[in-house]
C-alpha cells in the first residue's frame, strides 16, 4: 500500500505530465477542457501557470470552475466554445482497455459531455486506480429525483448487487446519485448503454463508448502512458 502522502505525490507528478501533453494544443484561441477531482486539482494548479498561452477553459464542475477562476483562468460555457482542443480528467478506475469508471465526486454527467466534445481526451490517474475489471469502486448513476426508487429497483433487478442512494448528495445538475455496488463489469460498453436506457437515468459513470485517447498513470518509477485501442 502507498501512503496518502506518496499517493498525492503520484497525482502531482501525473498532473505535471498531463500539462506537458497539453502544451502542443495551446495557442491563440485554444480552449482547454478541465475535469474534476483531486488529481485534476493538481493539473489545474500547474496549467494556471500557462494561462497566458490559451484563451479559456471549459470546466465539468462548479468546484473546478472556481479553482480555475481563482487562478485567473477565464471560464466559458461549453455552448460558447467553438472547439475544445483537449480535455483532461481523472478517473476512479481504469482497466487495460482504457474503459473508465468516474463519478466519485458526482460530476460524471458533465465530465462525459465535455469529454465527448473535445478533440482529444487525456485521463490522468495514479497507479492505485488501475484494475483488471471495472466495478469494485461502484458505478455512480445520476437520476432525476422523482425516479430514485424506481430506477434503484430496476437496476438491482437487472444487474444484481446493491444499489444505494448517495445520502444528502445533489449534483451540479440538481439530481441524485445512486451507487451500484458489487459488480464485475466485463462488458463495459454494454453495461453503459443498458443503464442509460432506464427512464429517469441521466447518465452513468462508465466511460466505455467514448474512451480516453491517452491514459497517463503515475507510479513510483515515473509516469507510464498508454493509448487505448481504437474502437
Amino acid at each position: 500500500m502507498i501512503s496518502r502522502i506518496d499517493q498525492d505525490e503520484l497525482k502531482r507528478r501525473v498532473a505535471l505530465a498531463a500539462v506537458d501533453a497539453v502544451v502542443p494544443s495551446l495557442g491563440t484561441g485554444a480552449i482547454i477542457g478541465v475535469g474534476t477531482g483531486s488529481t485534476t486539482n493538481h493539473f489545474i494548479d500547474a496549467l494556471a501557470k500557462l494561462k497566458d498561452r490559451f484563451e479559456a477553459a471549459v470546466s465539468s464542475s462548479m468546484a473546478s470552475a472556481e479553482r480555475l477562476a481563482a487562478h485567473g483562468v477565464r471560464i466559458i460555457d461549453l455552448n460558447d466554445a467553438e472547439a475544445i482542443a483537449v480535455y483532461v480528467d481523472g478517473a476512479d478506475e481504469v482497466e487495460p482497455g482504457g474503459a473508465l469508471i468516474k463519478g466519485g465526486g458526482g460530476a460524471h454527467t458533465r465530465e462525459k459531455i465535455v469529454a465527448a466534445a473535445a478533440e482529444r481526451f487525456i485521463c490522468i490517474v495514479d497507479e492505485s486506480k488501475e484494475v483488471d475489471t471495472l466495478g469494485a469502486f461502484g458505478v455512480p448513476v445520476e437520476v432525476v429525483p422523482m425516479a430514485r426508487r424506481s430506477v434503484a429497483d430496476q437496476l438491482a433487478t437487472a444487474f444484481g448487487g446493491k444499489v444505494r442512494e448517495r445520502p444528502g448528495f445533489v449534483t451540479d445538475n440538481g439530481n441524485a446519485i445512486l451507487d451500484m455496488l458489487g459488480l464485475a463489469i466485463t462488458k463495459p460498453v454494454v453495461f453503459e448503454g443498458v443503464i442509460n436506457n432506464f427512464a429517469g437515468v441521466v447518465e452513468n459513470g462508465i466511460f466505455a463508448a467514448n474512451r480516453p485517447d491517452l491514459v497517463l498513470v503515475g507510479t513510483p518509477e515515473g509516469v507510464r502512458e498508454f493509448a487505448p485501442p481504437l474502437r
Side-chain angles (χ1 to χ4, degrees), residues 152-167:
D153 289 345
Q154 292 177 80
L155 292 175
T157 299
F159 297 100
K162 298 180 180 179
V163 181
R164 297 176 181 171
E165 182 179 351
R166 197 174 294 183

